[in-house]
Amino acid sequence: MPYLFLPHTQLQALLDAISQAGFAIIGPQVREGAIVYDWLNTAEQLPWGMQDVQSPGEYRLRATKEKLAFAWANGPQAIKPQLFKPTESLWEVTRDEQGRLAFQEKKPETQATALFAVKACDIRAMLIQDKVFIDSDHPDAHYTARRKNVLIVAANCTYSPANCFCVSAGGYPRAEAHFDIAMTEITHGLVMQAGSATGESIVNTLSLASATDAQIKQAQQGIEHAANSQSKKLPLPNDGPLRDMLFNHLDHPRWDDVAQRCLSCGNCTSVCPTCFCSNVESKTALEGQHSEQVREWGSCFTQQHSYIVGKVIRPDTKTRYRQWLTHKVGSWHEQFDSSGCVGCGRCITWCPVGIDITEELTAIHQEEKA
Ligand code: SF4
Ligand code: SF4
């Protein structure tokens, strides 16, 4: 489909068209000093004139001179919580007065939802989670139902804060596929492109003019700027060499070094758009007549995560951090045929002590070269 131009003044019309097509909309907005995704009803809720400044262990918003809606890169959440819920009831059991038990599966939600202003790295992360939750021997009914009913409106990045490294991780700040509509913001509006029949039918209701060559060029330059300004890098390609380097250094002294700094808090696993571990807890009513089985996000940084038949097999921070990193960019390849890192930089930003995945990998690689 050709590139079209949507003036900022028509963003509300786009949201209305998405809504009229039957989708509830979840999109970016500022809340408590961060950009988060939540129900979006009006274009006024978008993070106008806001940009995120990030460094290891630091995130803040600053006002920009130009009043743009998508001048930011990301916040603590990806779209993961919209598809793989942080907490979710899976089934319940009730005891009646005769003592008989009735088991009932909790049905997944089927509300059609548009995820608005999704970043390219988060689309890549979603495709990785699709492999975990859909392309498995036991597909997850809840994730699958939500994923089937989702419309993706991508917002290409024209800005990279200091922790982004999607290019080095094998991606790019532009969504290349798997979107229904893609937008790149330029002065006064957005260069748009439909990526599916549904996206095209929504865009067609707006009677937009074609984008001019100058507008397409400005959009392209914005994306290139985001790519070229990324300074963080993985020390080796993310499609195999990094994995081999790590597995050759399971006893490297750097694991002891990082364990001195890591708090085992699990923030990195919560914000990572590809981490998928979970626990199922029984929430039993005090009167003993009802129990609900609730799935909650887990983390490989907890003691419980590696408890196997009377023994915690990763009893300290060193073995937990090593497990996280060697899985993320190492054994993930064997399991899912790709790396588990898309280079969004969230684990660096939201680590309370600023541990930087690229620095840790580089340190191990440097000593290998020495
Ligand atoms: S490991 Fe860190 S940089 Fe990589 S995808 Fe997860 S949060 Fe993003
Ligand atoms: S690396 Fe940072 S965010 Fe992750 S568990 Fe350690 S201290 Fe927490």
Side-chain angles (χ1 to χ4, degrees), residues 165 268 271-274 324 328 340-348 357:
F165 62 98
C268 46
V271 296
C272 180
T274 66
W324 179 68
K328 185 66 56 183
C341 179
V342 296
C344 71
R346 287 186 179 91
C347 58
I348 308 172
I357 181 173

Side-chain angles (χ1 to χ4, degrees), residues 100-334:
R100 288 173 304 206
L101 297 177
F103 293 84
Q104 188 158 26
E105 184 188 356
K106 293 278 185 141
K107 293 286 176 208
E109 304 142 32
T110 50
Q111 162 76 59
T113 305
L115 300 178
F116 191 77
V118 181
K119 298 304 182 146
C121 58
D122 292 337
I123 293 177
R124 286 179 69 212
M126 178 185 72
L127 299 175
I128 290 171
Q129 289 223 315
D130 285 355
K131 291 185 193 174
V132 177
F133 290 112
I134 300 177
D135 306 338
S136 84
D137 292 341
H138 304 284
D140 183 85
H142 294 252
Y143 181 97
T144 306
R146 281 192 281 269
R147 180 71 177 85
K148 274 189 183 156
N149 283 297
V150 98
L151 182 95
I152 301 287
V153 181
N156 295 324
C157 285
T158 53
Y159 161 74
S160 290
N163 290 343
C164 287
F165 62 98
C166 69
V167 176
S168 169
Y172 203 68
R174 176 181 49 228
E176 306 287 358
H178 305 283
F179 58 80
D180 296 283
I181 300 170
M183 334 181 272
T184 309
E185 192 169 39
I186 58 170
T187 321
H188 307 310
L190 301 131
V191 173
M192 296 181 54
Q193 192 184 24
S196 71
T198 311
E200 191 169 351
S201 71
I202 290 170
V203 169
N204 283 345
T205 64
L206 300 172
S207 307
L208 300 175
S210 294
T212 64
D213 288 347
Q215 287 168 331
I216 295 169
K217 190 172 173 196
Q218 192 189 345
Q220 183 60 31
Q221 285 172 339
I223 295 167
E224 284 167 9
H225 167 74
N228 295 337
S229 59
Q230 292 181 4
S231 54
K232 285 204 186 296
K233 285 187 176 34
L234 294 171
L236 287 167
N238 199 16
D239 56 1
L242 201 52
R243 169 198 56 196
D244 299 342
M245 186 273 289
L246 269 188
F247 281 115
N248 285 333
H249 291 90
L250 292 177
D251 295 319
H252 197 283
R254 188 72 182 192
W255 302 117
D256 292 304
D257 180 280
V258 72
Q260 296 297 314
R261 292 171 281 133
C262 175
L263 308 173
S264 255
C265 67
N267 267 17
C268 46
T269 54
S270 290
V271 296
C272 180
T274 66
C275 276
F276 58 85
C277 288
S278 63
N279 309 311
V280 177
E281 299 274 346
S282 286
K283 310 265 180 184
T284 309
L286 278 179
E287 28 73 347
Q289 300 302 101
H290 179 256
S291 174
E292 206 165 332
Q293 310 305 306
V294 179
R295 177 170 66 188
E296 296 171 339
W297 285 1
S299 171
C300 52
F301 282 92
T302 64
Q303 181 164 294
Q304 173 194 16
H305 188 272
S306 69
Y307 177 85
I308 299 175
V309 199
K311 188 166 168 59
V312 173
I313 59 164
R314 287 188 287 275
D316 52 26
T317 300
K318 173 184 169 180
T319 49
R320 290 178 202 164
Y321 186 87
R322 187 176 62 187
Q323 151 67 24
W324 179 68
L325 195 54
T326 52
H327 184 218
K328 185 66 56 183
V329 297
S331 52
W332 206 288
H333 287 277
E334 273 69 44

Side-chain angles (χ1 to χ4, degrees), residues 47-121:
W48 291 99
M50 283 293 160
Q51 189 160 70
D52 47 323
V53 180
Q54 302 188 37
S55 60
E58 192 204 346
Y59 181 97
R60 66 185 167 83
L61 294 181
R62 69 176 168 209
T64 54
K65 276 193 206 143
E66 221 178 341
K67 199 167 173 256
L68 300 175
F70 308 105
W72 47 278
N74 65 39
Q77 307 162 335
I79 54 173
K80 178 171 89 169
Q82 311 304 334
L83 297 169
F84 170 38
K85 296 281 178 190
T87 175
E88 173 157 51
S89 182
L90 300 180
W91 55 272
E92 61 185 351
V93 54
T94 309
R95 193 199 315 264
D96 68 15
E97 285 171 3
Q98 284 76 44
R100 288 173 304 206
L101 297 177
F103 293 84
Q104 188 158 26
E105 184 188 356
K106 293 278 185 141
K107 293 286 176 208
E109 304 142 32
T110 50
Q111 162 76 59
T113 305
L115 300 178
F116 191 77
V118 181
K119 298 304 182 146
C121 58

